[in-house]
Amino acid sequence: MLQFILKRLGLAVLVAFTVSFISFSLLFLSGDPAAALAGETASGEDIEAIRRLYGFDRPMLVQYGDWLMSALRGDFGESYYFKLPVASLIGDRLGVTMLLGVCGISFALLTAVPLGVVAAIRPNSIIDRIALFLSVAGQAMPSFWFGLILIVVFAIQLGWLPPSGAATWKHFIMPTIVLGYYAMPAIMRLTRAGMLDVLSSDYIRTARAKGANETRVLFRHALRNAIIPVVSLAAVQMGFMLGGSIVVESIFALHGAGYLAWESIARNDLPTVQALILIFSMFYIVFTFLADVLNAWLDPRMRSS
């Protein structure tokens, strides 16, 4: 198992360096950052002065090396628009995104796992068809459209929930539902498939033949084994949620790291965009690595190796 973890860790580090270089390079491939900062009315002398001021006249590999060394120390430079250190700017916003991600994955697990279990226990029943409908709708429905529908119904027409902001816990209800609904289909399908596979196994039939209580069979024997891949998937989905929160935060005006990403892109704030791409990518890489380790630890064959 140690060899597996070291191999996965080395792969995660390699992916992290690759992502950091790509995220740094894409910003320069999109155009001249000096010209973007100077504006449309700037002269050639002004653009050249900005290029020298921010070091854009140096080779890109040299710029990347300096940026990466600073990033490893937690220094992402100064925001071009906000005129604040990027690290402190992101630190102030990251708490909202983390809270939204935790609430979203919790909502997805608490909703999708019970539906998947019931759908597996009663295949082709009305519950199974409802679960299938929710699964298909969750994949087909864009999150921004779902968020707008919730705002129109629950905030504007019914007046039950606030449409935007993050002042109270009520402000997080609709964003949590929208973000969690994105992860529900995969978790629900995997739970249902895992339960169906486990319920047809020999040891479940043996437990039932011995007269074991059906609740004990379902939750102690079946669900405990079927939930292993679900836990790994939830860790990966958590990484997706944190990186994909930009849409949800923009719709509900939650001033988290996702909303900061949208603001920075709209205002050509290159240091902030670079840092956010790197941080969101690291979230996904770390959670994927943890999912692999957790899956290996829960697998008896891996623990014995």
Side-chain angles (χ1 to χ4, degrees):
M1 182 175 175
L2 180 60
Q3 184 180 1
F4 173 81
I5 293 176
L6 292 176
K7 183 179 178 180
R8 288 295 181 181
L9 181 60
L11 181 62
V13 173
L14 180 61
V15 172
F17 277 108
T18 304
V19 168
S20 68
F21 180 75
I22 292 176
S23 63
F24 184 85
S25 303
L26 286 177
L27 298 176
F28 289 86
L29 293 176
S30 62
D32 186 358
L37 286 173
E40 297 180 357
T41 60
S43 63
E45 291 78 7
D46 295 334
I47 295 176
E48 189 62 30
I50 291 177
R51 187 176 288 113
R52 289 193 301 268
L53 176 64
Y54 289 103
F56 295 144
D57 55 338
R58 298 177 299 164
M60 191 179 72
L61 288 178
V62 176
Q63 296 182 55
Y64 168 72
D66 292 344
W67 175 79
L68 183 60
M69 290 299 102
S70 299
L72 291 176
R73 298 193 301 267
D75 180 13
F76 297 101
E78 184 180 272
S79 168
Y80 294 163
Y81 179 81
F82 296 98
K83 305 301 180 183
L84 294 171
V86 174
S88 63
L89 187 63
I90 296 176
D92 293 339
R93 304 283 192 98
L94 199 57
V96 174
T97 300
M98 292 296 293
L99 177 60
L100 181 60
V102 171
C103 292
I105 196 63
S106 300
F107 170 79
L109 288 171
L110 292 175
T111 307
V113 172
L115 281 175
V117 171
V118 175
I121 296 173
R122 302 182 181 278
N124 300 320
S125 64
I126 185 65
I127 297 296
D128 189 18
R129 297 188 182 279
I130 291 174
L132 177 62
F133 170 78
L134 292 175
S135 176
V136 174
Q139 285 192 322
M141 189 185 307
S143 57
F144 70 88
W145 185 83
F146 186 38
L148 293 175
I149 292 297
L150 292 183
I151 290 174
V152 170
V153 174
F154 293 102
I156 297 177
Q157 294 186 352
L158 299 177
W160 291 353
L161 298 171
S164 61
T168 65
W169 62 271
K170 291 184 178 181
H171 290 83
F172 285 90
I173 294 179
M174 289 192 292
T176 295
I177 294 174
V178 174
L179 194 63
Y181 193 59
Y182 168 80
M184 278 179 56
I187 296 175
M188 190 187 308
R189 289 199 313 270
L190 189 60
T191 303
R192 181 183 183 275
M195 285 292 293
L196 286 174
D197 183 60
V198 172
L199 288 174
S200 62
S201 60
D202 292 337
Y203 73 92
I204 294 295
R205 286 194 291 266
T206 301
R208 285 172 170 167
K210 289 182 177 181
N213 183 273
E214 186 65 18
T215 302
R216 181 186 179 91
V217 170
L218 289 175
F219 293 99
R220 182 170 181 177
H221 299 291
L223 183 59
R224 187 173 65 177
N225 290 282
I227 205 70
I228 293 175
V230 176
V231 174
S232 301
L233 177 63
V236 176
Q237 289 290 343
M238 182 67 178
F240 272 124
M241 285 183 175
L242 294 176
S245 62
I246 178 172
V247 176
V248 177
E249 290 182 15
S250 300
I251 293 172
F252 294 98
L254 294 173
H255 288 258
Y259 190 78
L260 177 62
W262 178 83
E263 290 179 303
S264 303
I265 293 171
R267 291 157 178 166
N268 290 322
D269 192 351
L270 300 183
T272 308
V273 174
Q274 288 174 329
L276 286 169
I277 292 175
L278 182 62
I279 290 173
F280 284 143
S281 301
M282 291 303 104
F283 276 134
Y284 178 74
I285 293 171
V286 169
F287 280 110
T288 303
F289 171 72
L290 292 177
D292 291 336
V293 173
L294 182 60
N295 199 27
W297 183 77
L298 292 173
D299 190 345
R301 295 170 298 177
M302 292 295 297
R303 280 189 290 179
S304 61
S305 61

